[in-house]
Amino acid sequence: MPKKSVSTQSWRNLINIDNVYSSDKQRQAFSLFTMIAIAIVVLTILVALNYKIYSPILTVSLIVVNITIICSTVYFVKTGKLEVVALISMLIVFIMCVALTYTGGNENTALYWLMFYPVVSFASLGVKYATWLGSCLLLCCTFILYGPDIGQVSYGDVEKSRFLAGFTLVFVFSFIGEYFRHRSHMNIAGITLEQTQDAYTDQLTGGANRRFITSHFLKLVDENPHEYLPFSILLLDLDNFKALNDTYGHDFGDTVLIEFTKLLESQFPSSAVKARYGGEEFVVILPNERSQQATKLADDFREYVSEYVILNSTKSRVVLTCSIGVAQVNNVAEYEKELKKADEFLYLAKEQGRNKVRSAHNKG
């Protein structure tokens, strides 16, 4: 059987902890859309009450901001792309803040509205983008307040210095809070992932265990059926394993199980899921593979194993053989039924002399 290009960690790549990350996404979404809801209400009221007082630039800016934020919300509802919507929304609010600072708003009270920006941007965008936007806003405001006269309103010296000091403090502490919150979250996510991987790992062979299939892989299939279905189940059993244990000892038996796991990894595609199902029994799942082709692959593997030699503690050559039952799963609900069918075919292979592959395509 030709050797396949594989990664021994391929099954681990299927493990995710989306529930840990989803809670953080919910926090970001809640922060963003709370800000959006407040912004829409406040901007609408401000434009309605002060359009005669505001400069045309400010009025138009506020209307454009309102329309853009509403469109971003609609875009999120249709696509679910939170990061894109958050970045667009905070960029629009950034422009609004610059326009407010430039025009002064109503009775030069614009600077008060800018204080919320670092808090919301860090909560909805995270450290990287919020740091850039907050820093740029601080630089723009400093230029408008202390730079050359380009038509902007005039603020008092005390008002300018207090605003910059207050904004800088809010920005710095928002950065510190989000930075360490993010680090803490990633540490927790890392620990959770490690614990999940340990729970799904067979401690002897280092491969996947039965729990990985039933508790994780089948959920992935259910969520993304087009990526996996139909798939074939290969139920494999080492022949005369008890005799090997009795003859050469349990340490050698463990070595056989470890070596057999390595054979599964090296001889089946990296897309296949290989797991120890218990004792000397293993399962291989071949995504998007029908049972007829899977039977051929199983027979190639059986033949390869029968030609493989392991040396025992006395350097004597020990030949392995395995029996395999094959079945096909067309939907997740059929898994247990088809697994039982694969087990029946495996039993048939044993009954007919071992070192055989049996499926619906070669029952005889």
Side-chain angles (χ1 to χ4, degrees), residues 113-341:
W113 294 101
L114 273 62
M115 288 299 182
F116 81 96
Y117 190 81
V119 178
V120 176
S121 60
F122 277 108
S124 58
L125 286 177
V127 174
K128 181 181 176 181
Y129 291 118
T131 300
W132 278 105
L133 286 177
S135 300
C136 289
L137 182 57
L138 184 59
L139 289 174
C140 289
C141 290
T142 302
F143 177 81
I144 292 172
L145 295 176
Y146 290 99
D149 186 358
I150 51 174
Q152 72 270 40
V153 300
S154 177
Y155 297 93
D157 290 337
V158 173
E159 189 176 11
K160 290 189 290 186
S161 61
R162 287 181 177 175
F163 162 73
L164 289 176
F167 187 90
T168 302
L169 285 173
V170 173
F171 176 76
V172 168
F173 282 100
S174 296
F175 171 85
I176 292 172
E178 178 61 21
Y179 176 77
F180 285 100
R181 186 211 62 78
H182 179 70
R183 282 188 59 182
S184 175
H185 175 76
M186 293 308 295
N187 287 336
I188 292 171
I191 292 170
T192 302
L193 179 59
E194 185 177 345
Q195 291 176 339
T196 303
Q197 289 177 339
D198 287 344
Y200 293 151
T201 300
D202 179 67
Q203 297 305 307
L204 174 63
T205 64
N209 59 21
R210 182 171 188 160
R211 184 178 179 187
F212 170 74
I213 302 290
T214 56
S215 298
H216 194 81
F217 178 73
L218 292 180
K219 289 181 180 179
L220 290 179
V221 177
D222 196 36
E223 292 167 0
N224 307 282
H226 60 284
E227 293 184 15
Y228 299 98
L229 293 173
F231 66 74
S232 291
I233 308 172
L234 278 58
L235 204 55
L236 308 94
D237 191 87
L238 281 161
D239 296 329
N240 303 310
F241 183 74
K242 185 178 184 300
L244 288 176
N245 265 334
D246 293 342
T247 304
Y248 302 109
H250 289 285
D251 287 344
F252 181 73
D254 289 347
T255 300
V256 169
L257 294 174
I258 293 170
E259 287 299 313
F260 191 73
T261 300
K262 291 178 181 178
L263 293 179
L264 291 174
E265 289 290 352
S266 66
Q267 298 306 307
F268 284 104
S270 58
S271 59
V273 177
K274 311 98 178 175
R276 184 183 177 197
Y277 236 50
E280 67 272 24
E281 195 170 66
F282 294 79
V283 66
V284 173
I285 292 177
L286 298 169
N288 300 123
E289 199 75 78
R290 296 189 178 274
S291 59
Q292 186 170 4
Q293 179 61 21
T295 301
K296 175 67 169 58
L297 293 174
D299 200 52
D300 289 344
F301 178 75
R302 177 204 58 78
E303 185 176 345
Y304 182 86
V305 172
S306 67
E307 297 172 356
Y308 189 81
V309 174
I310 296 181
L311 298 180
N312 62 19
S313 58
T314 62
K315 305 302 179 182
S316 298
R317 295 159 61 89
V318 178
V319 177
L320 302 178
T321 63
C322 66
S323 300
I324 307 173
V326 182
Q328 179 178 310
V329 174
N330 296 308
N331 60 72
V332 175
E334 293 179 357
Y335 177 77
E336 291 297 334
K337 182 184 74 173
E338 296 302 324
L339 180 65
K340 184 177 180 182
K341 190 179 294 185

Side-chain angles (χ1 to χ4, degrees), residues 41-103:
V41 172
V42 171
L43 293 178
T44 302
I45 293 174
L46 288 176
V47 171
L49 296 180
N50 301 294
Y51 69 94
K52 293 181 180 179
I53 302 173
Y54 287 162
S55 67
I57 294 177
L58 181 58
T59 301
V60 171
S61 297
L62 294 179
I63 293 174
V64 170
V65 167
N66 231 3
I67 294 173
T68 306
I69 288 177
I70 292 172
C71 290
S72 295
T73 304
V74 173
Y75 178 76
F76 172 76
V77 171
K78 290 187 174 182
T79 65
K81 296 181 178 179
L82 178 62
E83 292 182 355
V84 174
V85 172
L87 188 57
I88 292 173
S89 299
M90 295 314 298
L91 279 169
I92 293 299
V93 176
F94 172 92
I95 295 171
M96 181 193 72
C97 289
V98 172
L100 278 171
T101 305
Y102 181 85
T103 60

